[in-house]
Structure formats: structure tokens, C-alpha cells
Amino acid sequence: METILSIKNLYKNYGKVKAVKNVSLEIQKGNVYGILGPNGSGKSTTLGIVLNVVNKTSGDYEWFGGKLKDSEALKHVGAIIERPNFYPYMTAEQNLKLVCKIKGVKYDNIHKKLELVGLLERKDSKFSTFSLGMKQRLAIASALLNDPEILILDEPTNGLDPQGIHQIREIIRVIAATGTTILLASHLLDEVEKVCSHVLVLRKGEILYSGTVDGMTSKESFFELQAENTSLLTEALSEHPSVAKTAVEESKVIVYLKEDLKADDLNRYLFQKNVVLTHLNKRKNSLEEQFLELTAEKQ
Ligand code: ADP
Ligand code: MG
């Protein structure tokens, strides 16, 4: 595994405001990371620090294993942390040519990147004629011109209509599929769930969860069961070593587990106890349920 960015015990105070408190994160090549948290939870501050536009209070971060100086390392990073801003009277292509000049990269990539974000046909349109979604897509193309190792996006779908949101998420998925590492900040649960493999959940600058998106959702798997005889069912369940507790909701029995249990093993066990199920559903808490639980614990 190749580490792209390593953040260790980062703190940031703005006067009395503790914006970031002891944040650590390891970013490995090829994954898609989300920093998820409500407004004001320290997402943009964290991104600003690693992009060297905000001064940290304490802690450390290191790009690419510390092999390069910050200024060199950041040449391999593509970032969009502000509203896209280009010259309004220049075309999409002219704007990207200018970015190439500033970054010192060849024009070769321009058409490929415009195609990736679905703007090749609009390359000769002036920036001022673009919708917000198209502006955001042009910003992504611009950030990718030098084929960065990692793409950093801060709230990439803010302010967009549903179609614009969908387009941006599809583009992020395509970029990730080509092996580019991605780090995105978002206050939207479904955004992180849809595009990220890993997630750091922040609240008031503190980490509530760090790990895979799957790990966050699968931690709390449970069963929904139904049988003709509910009391026989709950009695049999109470004797099972993997069952933590049961709750009857309407005619369904919800089974909370101490450890993972396969649906077929549970079904077989109950059948041996003369309980015939009419309904069996193994469910995981959605990221939303997990997120609400996590944030509620700390209230
Ligand atoms: P997020 O991006 O998750 O919405 P931010 O990182 O922007 O959160 O903000 C985290 C906290 O730091 C908030 O309480 C915010 O008000 C504060 N903050 C951010 N930038 C500044 C600043 N330049 N000066 C003072 N306080 C700031
Ligand atoms: Mg922000």
C-alpha cells in the first residue's frame, strides 16, 4: 500500500474556536475518502491545512511519505476548495490553456479532460454561459490537467440541482475508477455513501468514526423475523448464544446480535426448535442511522 497523505493529531484553533481537535487520517492510493460532518465541523479547515492555505495550531501531516517538500508535493495534488472561478469572457478551452500555462503543463490533456467531464462539445462556449454544474465540471477538468495523484473536493455538489449533483457524482466515480485517489468533504450522508470507500466522520472538529463506509454500516446488523407463534420464536432466540436481545415491533421480532450470525444458520437453528419462519430479513443500519446514532451519543 502506498500512502498519499498522512495526518497525525492535527489541531486548529481560531482564537477561542477549536475548529479541529486531534484529527488523524491515513490516505492510501486508489481509495475514495469522505470527510463527513455537519456545517462547522472542521472539514474545510482540515483540507485548508493540508493544502497549505491554513496554518495548523499543532500536529503534523505528510504528503507522499515525506519524500517531497510541501510546495513540490502539492504539484501532484488537484484541489477545488472554492467556487469555480475562471475568466468569464474566455471559452472553456481558453481558460484551461491558461491554467496549463500557469501550471507549466502541456496542452495535450485539455480535450481528454473536457471529455471526461462532459464538456468537450462546449469547449468553445464562454465560461459566462455555463451553468453552475458546468462551471464545477470545468473546475474538475482544470484540477486534473496535470494528472494529479489525488483530487481534493470540498462540497463538490453544493448548490447544484439534482441532475447536476448526479453528473458530478458520476464523474467522481469515473475518476476513481481510473485509480486517482480522491478526498472529498461533504455534509451529505448519501453523497459519501454513494461515492466513498472510506469515511472520517467529524463533529465539532472531533473524529466520531474513521474507517470503511461498509464497516460503518455493517457494524450493527440485525434480523427482522416473523413466525406464526411469536412467543415460541422469542423463547428460542433467547437461548441462542449470538443473540444480544430481541424486541417485538408489531408482529415482527427484531433480533440484535452480539456477533455476526448467518441467516441460514439462524433459520436452521430455529427450525430445529420447531419454529417455522414466515419472514426473515437481515438488515444493516444505513449510514444515516449510524451517523445519527454516533452524533447523538456525543450530544
Ligand atoms: P466545515 O467545512 O465542516 O463547515 P470549517 O472548517 O469551515 O467547517 O469551520 C470549522 C469551525 O471553524 C467553525 O466553527 C467555523 O466557524 C470556524 N472557522 C472557520 N474558518 C474560520 C476563520 N477564518 N476564522 C475564524 N473561525 C473560523
Ligand atoms: Mg466547509
Side-chain angles (χ1 to χ4, degrees):
M1 263 194 303
E2 197 180 317
T3 303
I4 301 282
L5 171 65
S6 166
I7 302 176
K8 290 199 182 88
N9 310 110
L10 206 60
Y11 287 81
K12 173 67 187 179
N13 304 336
Y14 292 105
K16 281 185 187 158
V17 177
K18 293 189 163 85
V20 175
K21 291 181 237 172
N22 201 20
V23 165
S24 299
L25 177 66
E26 287 276 315
I27 294 198
Q28 308 291 349
K29 190 178 170 69
N31 293 330
V32 180
Y33 294 82
I35 301 182
L36 173 66
N39 289 334
S41 55
K43 304 182 296 293
S44 297
T45 301
T46 304
L47 296 184
I49 291 169
V50 299
L51 292 170
N52 208 9
V53 294
V54 173
N55 291 323
K56 67 188 183 190
T57 299
S58 66
D60 269 308
Y61 66 89
E62 190 179 78
W63 284 104
F64 308 111
K67 283 177 291 191
L68 303 172
K69 279 195 303 188
D70 242 24
S71 56
E72 276 305 305
L74 289 174
K75 288 184 184 164
H76 302 273
V77 177
I80 307 167
I81 54 171
E82 285 165 2
R83 279 279 161 119
N85 213 353
F86 292 92
Y87 286 96
Y89 297 108
M90 281 166 56
T91 67
E93 186 171 23
Q94 286 167 341
N95 269 298
L96 293 191
K97 279 185 173 167
L98 187 60
V99 174
C100 284
K101 271 192 195 149
I102 294 165
K103 288 188 177 175
V105 296
K106 290 190 195 137
Y107 293 165
D108 306 12
N109 261 341
I110 291 177
H111 281 199
K112 205 170 71 189
K113 301 304 177 190
L114 282 172
E115 185 166 25
L116 172 68
V117 300
L119 287 176
L120 189 55
E121 283 174 9
R122 297 295 302 270
K123 70 183 172 58
D124 297 321
S125 300
K126 285 181 180 155
F127 180 70
S128 59
T129 66
F130 280 8
S131 68
L132 185 59
M134 291 164 80
K135 288 176 176 172
Q136 186 67 341
R137 285 188 276 142
L138 186 66
I140 293 175
S142 169
L144 293 173
L145 283 171
N146 56 340
D147 289 318
E149 286 280 341
I150 178 170
L151 179 65
I152 297 183
L153 304 159
D154 194 358
E155 308 271 7
T157 60
N158 252 15
L160 303 187
D161 61 17
Q163 196 193 1
I165 291 172
H166 179 73
Q167 284 169 334
I168 296 286
R169 289 179 185 168
E170 280 306 308
I171 290 165
I172 292 172
R173 271 199 274 257
V174 171
I175 296 166
T178 64
T180 304
T181 310
I182 294 174
L183 171 60
L184 77 90
S186 177
H187 68 283
L188 301 169
L189 294 155
D190 72 319
E191 182 148 295
V192 168
E193 203 165 19
K194 281 186 178 128
V195 300
C196 299
S197 56
H198 293 70
V199 60
L200 182 77
V201 180
L202 290 185
R203 183 175 167 274
K204 293 188 178 166
E206 280 182 290
I207 296 179
L208 297 182
Y209 174 84
S210 179
T212 61
V213 170
D214 284 347
M216 186 168 167
T217 46
S218 67
K219 221 173 65 177
E220 298 275 315
S221 82
F222 58 92
F223 286 98
E224 275 174 4
L225 304 179
Q226 234 171 341
E228 288 292 324
N229 189 332
T230 304
S231 56
L232 199 63
L233 172 60
T234 51
E235 197 185 308
L237 286 167
S238 69
E239 289 163 14
H240 194 290
S242 304
V243 172
K245 65 173 182 176
T246 58
V248 182
E249 284 179 13
E250 289 164 27
S251 60
K252 286 198 185 95
V253 177
I254 312 294
V255 186
Y256 299 97
L257 301 171
K258 288 181 200 155
E259 59 195 4
D260 193 40
L261 178 59
K262 286 189 187 150
D264 50 353
D265 288 341
L266 179 61
N267 199 3
R268 199 174 299 115
Y269 166 84
L270 290 169
F271 191 73
Q272 281 161 3
K273 295 261 176 187
N274 294 319
V275 180
V276 180
L277 295 172
T278 54
H279 173 90
L280 183 156
N281 185 13
K282 189 173 185 181
R283 272 193 54 198
K284 286 169 182 175
N285 269 341
S286 69
L287 193 58
E288 183 170 24
E289 286 163 318
Q290 280 294 109
F291 181 71
L292 292 174
E293 253 172 51
L294 273 174
T295 45
E297 275 166 26
K298 296 259 177 167
Q299 296 278 321

Short mmCIF file of all heavy atoms in Angstrom, two decimals, residues 2 4 29-30 64 73 75-78 146-151 179-182:
data_model
loop_
_atom_site.label_atom_id
_atom_site.label_comp_id
_atom_site.label_asym_id
_atom_site.label_seq_id
_atom_site.Cartn_x
_atom_site.Cartn_y
_atom_site.Cartn_z
N GLU A 2 0.41 2.22 -0.76
CA GLU A 2 1.18 3.46 -0.88
C GLU A 2 0.41 4.58 -0.18
O GLU A 2 -0.76 4.81 -0.48
CB GLU A 2 1.33 3.79 -2.36
CG GLU A 2 2.42 4.78 -2.66
CD GLU A 2 2.50 5.05 -4.16
OE1 GLU A 2 2.42 4.09 -4.95
OE2 GLU A 2 2.61 6.23 -4.52
N ILE A 4 -0.60 8.25 0.44
CA ILE A 4 -0.59 9.53 -0.27
C ILE A 4 -0.46 10.68 0.74
O ILE A 4 0.32 11.59 0.56
CB ILE A 4 -1.91 9.71 -1.06
CG1 ILE A 4 -2.10 8.57 -2.07
CG2 ILE A 4 -1.97 11.09 -1.72
CD1 ILE A 4 -1.29 8.69 -3.33
N LYS A 29 -3.36 5.11 -1.56
CA LYS A 29 -3.58 5.26 -3.00
C LYS A 29 -4.77 4.43 -3.49
O LYS A 29 -4.93 3.28 -3.09
CB LYS A 29 -2.32 4.82 -3.73
CG LYS A 29 -2.27 5.13 -5.21
CD LYS A 29 -0.94 4.66 -5.78
CE LYS A 29 -0.92 4.74 -7.29
NZ LYS A 29 -0.93 6.10 -7.80
N GLY A 30 -5.57 5.05 -4.34
CA GLY A 30 -6.65 4.33 -5.02
C GLY A 30 -7.99 4.33 -4.31
O GLY A 30 -8.98 3.90 -4.88
N PHE A 64 2.96 12.03 0.56
CA PHE A 64 3.76 11.04 -0.17
C PHE A 64 4.95 10.53 0.66
O PHE A 64 6.09 10.49 0.17
CB PHE A 64 4.26 11.63 -1.51
CG PHE A 64 3.14 12.23 -2.33
CD1 PHE A 64 3.05 13.61 -2.52
CD2 PHE A 64 2.15 11.43 -2.88
CE1 PHE A 64 2.01 14.18 -3.27
CE2 PHE A 64 1.11 11.98 -3.62
CZ PHE A 64 1.04 13.36 -3.81
N ALA A 73 5.24 18.66 -3.37
CA ALA A 73 4.19 17.65 -3.20
C ALA A 73 2.86 18.16 -3.75
O ALA A 73 2.13 17.44 -4.43
CB ALA A 73 4.05 17.29 -1.72
N LYS A 75 2.22 19.96 -6.14
CA LYS A 75 2.11 19.92 -7.60
C LYS A 75 1.46 18.62 -8.07
O LYS A 75 1.02 18.51 -9.21
CB LYS A 75 3.51 20.06 -8.24
CG LYS A 75 4.06 21.46 -8.13
CD LYS A 75 5.39 21.58 -8.84
CE LYS A 75 5.97 22.97 -8.63
NZ LYS A 75 7.39 23.04 -8.96
N HIS A 76 1.44 17.63 -7.18
CA HIS A 76 0.82 16.34 -7.52
C HIS A 76 -0.58 16.21 -6.93
O HIS A 76 -1.12 15.12 -6.83
CB HIS A 76 1.71 15.19 -7.03
CG HIS A 76 3.09 15.24 -7.60
ND1 HIS A 76 3.41 14.66 -8.81
CD2 HIS A 76 4.23 15.83 -7.15
CE1 HIS A 76 4.68 14.89 -9.07
NE2 HIS A 76 5.20 15.60 -8.08
N VAL A 77 -1.11 17.34 -6.48
CA VAL A 77 -2.44 17.36 -5.86
C VAL A 77 -3.34 18.28 -6.68
O VAL A 77 -2.96 19.39 -7.01
CB VAL A 77 -2.33 17.90 -4.41
CG1 VAL A 77 -3.71 18.00 -3.77
CG2 VAL A 77 -1.40 17.02 -3.58
N GLY A 78 -4.53 17.80 -7.00
CA GLY A 78 -5.52 18.66 -7.66
C GLY A 78 -6.59 18.98 -6.64
O GLY A 78 -7.10 18.08 -5.98
N ASN A 146 -2.93 18.20 -14.85
CA ASN A 146 -1.58 17.65 -14.67
C ASN A 146 -1.62 16.23 -14.10
O ASN A 146 -0.66 15.79 -13.49
CB ASN A 146 -0.74 18.57 -13.78
CG ASN A 146 -1.40 18.83 -12.44
OD1 ASN A 146 -2.61 18.65 -12.31
ND2 ASN A 146 -0.63 19.22 -11.45
N ASP A 147 -2.73 15.52 -14.30
CA ASP A 147 -2.87 14.14 -13.82
C ASP A 147 -2.39 13.99 -12.37
O ASP A 147 -1.43 13.26 -12.10
CB ASP A 147 -2.11 13.16 -14.72
CG ASP A 147 -2.78 13.00 -16.07
OD1 ASP A 147 -4.03 12.91 -16.10
OD2 ASP A 147 -2.07 12.98 -17.09
N PRO A 148 -3.06 14.65 -11.43
CA PRO A 148 -2.59 14.59 -10.05
C PRO A 148 -2.77 13.19 -9.45
O PRO A 148 -3.59 12.41 -9.94
CB PRO A 148 -3.51 15.58 -9.33
CG PRO A 148 -4.75 15.61 -10.14
CD PRO A 148 -4.30 15.44 -11.57
N GLU A 149 -2.01 12.91 -8.40
CA GLU A 149 -2.14 11.64 -7.68
C GLU A 149 -3.44 11.60 -6.90
O GLU A 149 -4.00 10.54 -6.65
CB GLU A 149 -0.99 11.51 -6.65
CG GLU A 149 0.35 11.20 -7.24
CD GLU A 149 0.49 9.73 -7.55
OE1 GLU A 149 -0.28 8.92 -7.01
OE2 GLU A 149 1.38 9.41 -8.37
N ILE A 150 -3.86 12.77 -6.45
CA ILE A 150 -5.06 12.84 -5.62
C ILE A 150 -5.87 14.08 -6.00
O ILE A 150 -5.31 15.14 -6.30
CB ILE A 150 -4.71 12.84 -4.10
CG1 ILE A 150 -5.98 12.96 -3.24
CG2 ILE A 150 -3.71 13.92 -3.74
CD1 ILE A 150 -5.75 12.73 -1.76
N LEU A 151 -7.19 13.91 -5.98
CA LEU A 151 -8.10 15.01 -6.26
C LEU A 151 -8.85 15.33 -4.96
O LEU A 151 -9.43 14.43 -4.34
CB LEU A 151 -9.09 14.60 -7.35
CG LEU A 151 -10.15 15.64 -7.74
CD1 LEU A 151 -9.51 16.88 -8.37
CD2 LEU A 151 -11.16 15.03 -8.72
N GLY A 179 -8.12 5.06 -10.97
CA GLY A 179 -7.06 4.88 -10.00
C GLY A 179 -6.63 6.15 -9.28
O GLY A 179 -5.74 6.11 -8.44
N THR A 180 -7.27 7.28 -9.61
CA THR A 180 -6.94 8.52 -8.89
C THR A 180 -7.54 8.47 -7.49
O THR A 180 -8.72 8.14 -7.33
CB THR A 180 -7.49 9.75 -9.64
OG1 THR A 180 -6.99 9.73 -10.98
CG2 THR A 180 -7.09 11.05 -8.96
N THR A 181 -6.74 8.76 -6.51
CA THR A 181 -7.22 8.82 -5.13
C THR A 181 -8.06 10.09 -4.98
O THR A 181 -7.74 11.11 -5.58
CB THR A 181 -6.00 8.88 -4.19
OG1 THR A 181 -5.11 7.84 -4.57
CG2 THR A 181 -6.39 8.72 -2.73
N ILE A 182 -9.12 10.00 -4.19
CA ILE A 182 -9.99 11.16 -4.02
C ILE A 182 -10.26 11.41 -2.54
O ILE A 182 -10.43 10.46 -1.76
CB ILE A 182 -11.32 10.96 -4.80
CG1 ILE A 182 -11.03 10.93 -6.31
CG2 ILE A 182 -12.33 12.06 -4.47
CD1 ILE A 182 -12.21 10.60 -7.18
#
